[in-house]
Amino acid sequence: MLTPVPTAVPVYRTDDPHSFAYISARERWVTIVAGCVRDMQAEGAAATTDDAAKDAEECVARLEKLLEELTADAALVPLENDGDAEDLDVGDYNAQLLAYNDAAKSNGTPVMSYLCGPWLYVECYLYRKIWSCTRVSKHFAAYDIYRAQKRAAFAQSQRAVAELASHYATLAPALRAGEVATEQIAELFREFVDIALWGNATDLSLLTNLKAGDLANLQGAQARKQSEANVLVNDVAKAWEALTAGKGGARVDMVLDNAGFEFYTDAVFALFLLDAGLASTIVLHTKRMPWFVSDVMPVDVDLLVEDLNDATMFPTERDAISIVASQFAAQRAAGKILVRAAPFWTTANAFWEIRADGSGGGAAVWADVHDSTLVVFKGDLNYRKLVYDGAWARTTPFATALGPLATAGVTVLSLRTVKADVIVGLGEGVGEALDAQSNRWMWGGKYGVVSYNC
Ligand code: F6P
Ligand code: MG
């Protein structure tokens, strides 16, 4: 049985008017579901058969119903089993819903609704519901309702894609020939961690806020230098030690976040690790369903190579971009880069469920990753799940906030730009100094953390 509420700390809730959870639930979710309605309407209009048009119409009707429930703040009801044997997640969502509601009833507090519940649970539940609206159809069962947005955003990253490709293409031959000194490789490791970190600042929900759309500048050495002070926790040296302590043959796992530009930075990071001999295998963990708008699904891994090979999408630095694309495809074909999509990542479970004793909902993930040399968790949602989306004091040690995962033998490196209420591991006074500048500093992806635990 799951433990839906941690005993150590209360979790962020959608009915807390001071939280980003409150705004997300009332503004961002409505925009996102309304966007899904429009997307399916467009699919219906473009359908080439009556059957597909009718199917799209039914998807629209289901999404409109969901939008109504959301805006009316309906109580959450158990999910229906709408799929296959992999859908163990439905039972898991429903068991947690029941447990939360039982707890609410015994405390005399309201049962869970969209605007009154634990943020992490309700948000995951919503994305699972959105998926149901299309997956039960005939023509759109495998449809990614966010695909058009994902591609459009990636296409806006031309300069940064070209710059990073050119950087990689210049380095790779010497790395592969073993001609780069260890100190230089260590410096490059720090740089690629930095690039993958700031890649997370450019996820779909924040892209439109970037001044001058200047994604490329986020990757430039000078810009990263300027951002150094915005990395509030930096454990990169510990990650380097973990990676270089063994005798080679390291496996690095990446629990991915967003498709498009962020995934591109992760892919180049993965190639660097392989080329430099820091890793012999990279395991990429994706979501099995469309998730939080921009998250990577297995198909997005294939589409990365396809998009990079598209000269209309990325017209400059063609030689360098082709090198990244072909090298990535070659490493996949050679089995050096593997892709997995465990159902656990799209449950509402915090990563406290990745426990060594096999009792948690993340037992299968634990069995998969505990032998890995380094497990890199990308992005904001993964961070929230690592620390149970708890309202921790901001100076709480990362290990404390990781709960049972801290001692489960999993080597954790979180690369996260801060886009939610929770943060831990800050030095004394750091949070207060930032509060004095703005009470919303934690919501915009301007700050980052590189947090490690073993
Ligand atoms: O809306 C919830 C949220 O987790 C935010 O905290 C964040 O802005 C976004 O979704 C997802 O961010 P990321 O793609 O970095 O996980
Ligand atoms: Mg995401």
Side-chain angles (χ1 to χ4, degrees), residues 31-41 63 130 145-146 149:
T31 309
I32 286 163
V33 181
C36 292
V37 170
R38 282 197 301 279
D39 182 274
M40 279 315 303
Q41 283 169 336
L63 286 160
I130 295 172
I145 203 159
Y146 312 111
Q149 292 181 63

Side-chain angles (χ1 to χ4, degrees), residues 20 24 28-29 32 119 123 127 200 203-206 257-258 262 292 294-295 378-382 384 416-417 419-421 443:
F20 188 46
S24 276
R28 298 172 68 223
W29 294 355
I32 286 163
W119 185 23
E123 195 162 39
Y127 281 97
N200 180 246
D203 78 85
L204 261 188
S205 57
L206 294 181
D257 188 1
N258 303 305
E262 178 173 359
F292 279 67
S294 40
D295 282 24
K378 290 296 315 282
D380 193 72
L381 178 64
N382 280 330
R384 288 173 58 202
R416 175 243 187 170
T417 63
K419 294 179 259 175
D421 302 292
W443 302 352

Side-chain angles (χ1 to χ4, degrees), residues 12 43 96 98 186 200 249 282 304 355 376 413:
Y12 282 101
E43 284 296 324
Q96 286 188 68
L98 192 70
N200 180 246
I282 307 281
L304 175 76
R355 288 197 287 266
V376 181
L413 180 69

Side-chain angles (χ1 to χ4, degrees), residues 39 73 85 123 153 181 198 205 211 214 239 269 271 273 302 316 441:
D39 182 274
D73 188 22
E123 195 162 39
W198 292 111
S205 57
K211 296 283 176 293
D214 211 344
F269 183 27
L271 293 180
L273 292 171
D302 303 327
T316 60
W441 66 266

Side-chain angles (χ1 to χ4, degrees), residues 409-429:
V410 178
T411 308
V412 173
L413 180 69
S414 168
L415 306 182
R416 175 243 187 170
T417 63
V418 185
K419 294 179 259 175
D421 302 292
V422 60
I423 190 161
V424 297
L426 295 189
E428 286 295 341

